[in-house]
Amino acid sequence: MRPRSIFGPSEAANGSGVRAVQYSWGGHSFRVRPWRVGSDEVYLGAITGSSPPDPGAVAQARDALAAAGWRRIYTNALNRSEIEGFEAAGFTVKDRLHLLTHSLRDLSRITGQAHLRRERRSDRGAILAVDSEAFSEFWRFDEAGIREAVTATPTARVRVADQGAVVGYAISGRAGAVGYLQRLAVSPRFQGQGLGRQLVTDGLHWMRRRGARSALVNTQYENERAYRLYLDMGFRPEPEGLVVLECELVPAS
Ligand SMILES: CC(C)(COP(=O)(O)OP(=O)(O)OC[C@H]1O[C@@H](n2cnc3c(N)ncnc32)[C@H](O)[C@@H]1OP(=O)(O)O)[C@@H](O)C(=O)NCCC(=O)NCCS
C-alpha cells in the first residue's frame, strides 16, 4: 500500500499527486492529498478502522509529510475517540463542527421550484465556481476535494440545481445504513429561495431509496445559517461534535 516515496508540494503542483493517495504508517491507513492545488498545506485523512491511529502512527505520518516538504497538515473531521493520537503528536484544534443526524423514516416531500438533475461531466467547472462563491477560502473545494467527497463512501451522487446555469449542488453518499450529506452549496445570488432545502430533501430521499436509515451532516460552529437550516429540516445535533486539527511542520533541514 505504501508507495516508494511520499509526494510533496512540487509533485502536487505539477499535477501528479493531486489525487488522494493511501499510505500506511504504524499499521494505520491514511489518505493524503494537497489541501488545495498549488499550496504547501496537506490533508491527512485518518481512515476509520478498528481502532483510531495511535500517537506513534500519527508521528510517523507527520514526520514523513514534513520530510516531503509540506508545511502544514489539516486532518479530516475527527470525533473524540480519534483525536488523542493526533493531539499527542502535536496537533491542535483548527475548527469545531456540529454533527447532526436525521432519521430517514419520515421525510417531507421535495418541494421547490428549482430544476434538480444529476451532475454531467461538463458541470464540474460550474460546480467548483459555485463552491468557491459559497465557501470562505479555507473551506473551498478544488477538483481533488470534490473527488474526495464523492469517493468517501461506496455510493454517492452529485446533484445540481440548474436555473439555466448551475447555481447550487449537493453531494450525498451512503455507507451501509448511514447516509452522509457530504457537501452543499448555493451561489450567494440564489440563496434564501429554498434551493438549499430542496437539495437537502432530495439528498435525504436518495439516501433512503438506497437503503440508509439515518443521515449525518457536519457544519462549522460559526456557520449559523446552515446549522439553522438543518435544525429546521429536522436534523438533531449529536451531543458531541467533530474537530478538524492542524499541525505546523518544521521544514526538514
Ligand atoms: C447553507 C446554504 C446551502 C443554504 O442554501 P439556501 O438556498 O440559501 O437555503 P434555503 O433558501 O433553502 O434556506 C436558507 C434560508 O432562506 C430561507 N428561505 C427559504 N426559502 C425562502 C423563500 N422562498 N423566500 C425567502 N426566504 C426563504 C430559509 O428560511 C432559510 O432562512 P434562514 O437563513 O433564516 O434559516 C447556503 O447558504 C450556502 O451555500 N452557504 C455557504 C456554503 C455552506 O455553508 N454550505 C453548507 C455547509 S455544511
Side-chain angles (χ1 to χ4, degrees), residues 110 116 157 159 197-206:
I110 305 168
L116 304 189
R157 180 174 78 155
R159 195 82 160 146
R197 182 179 297 260
Q198 192 180 343
L199 282 162
V200 175
T201 312
D202 172 80
L204 296 178
H205 279 269
W206 174 82

Side-chain angles (χ1 to χ4, degrees), residues 129-213:
V130 167
D131 198 274
S132 64
E133 281 179 340
F135 281 94
S136 63
E137 195 184 348
F138 177 75
W139 288 105
R140 245 167 239 165
F141 266 176
D142 58 13
E143 180 69 37
I146 299 228
R147 208 180 293 130
E148 182 81 5
V150 170
T151 55
T153 49
T155 43
R157 180 174 78 155
V158 185
R159 195 82 160 146
V160 301
D162 183 343
Q163 308 278 68
V166 173
V167 298
Y169 83 103
I171 302 176
S172 302
R174 182 188 64 90
V178 183
Y180 296 87
L181 183 60
Q182 300 281 18
R183 194 71 167 177
L184 171 70
V186 172
S187 168
R189 283 165 293 130
F190 291 85
Q191 289 178 8
Q193 301 172 23
L195 288 182
R197 182 179 297 260
Q198 192 180 343
L199 282 162
V200 175
T201 312
D202 172 80
L204 296 178
H205 279 269
W206 174 82
M207 293 170 200
R208 185 167 70 176
R209 283 200 302 279
R210 289 301 183 108
R213 287 195 290 277

Side-chain angles (χ1 to χ4, degrees), residues 72-130:
R72 186 180 294 272
I73 303 175
Y74 298 115
T75 67
N76 56 323
L78 301 164
N79 65 33
R80 183 201 279 265
S81 74
E82 293 167 324
I83 63 177
E84 202 178 304
F86 288 90
E87 289 189 328
F91 286 64
T92 56
V93 174
K94 165 69 183 169
D95 225 330
R96 293 185 186 279
L97 311 172
H98 293 288
L99 178 64
L100 300 105
T101 181
H102 193 302
S103 161
L104 297 177
R105 202 171 312 142
D106 301 310
L107 292 180
S108 51
R109 284 189 310 117
I110 305 168
T111 53
Q113 306 301 317
H115 172 53
L116 304 189
R117 61 168 174 80
R118 204 171 252 279
E119 178 204 25
R120 298 185 193 119
R121 204 182 283 260
S122 57
D123 290 328
R124 199 46 77 87
I127 285 176
L128 286 167
V130 167

Side-chain angles (χ1 to χ4, degrees), residues 98 100 219-220 223-232 237:
H98 293 288
L100 300 105
T219 189
Q220 305 105 266
N223 194 344
E224 285 175 20
R225 186 156 201 200
Y227 187 58
R228 275 207 316 270
L229 176 66
Y230 296 139
L231 290 180
D232 195 50

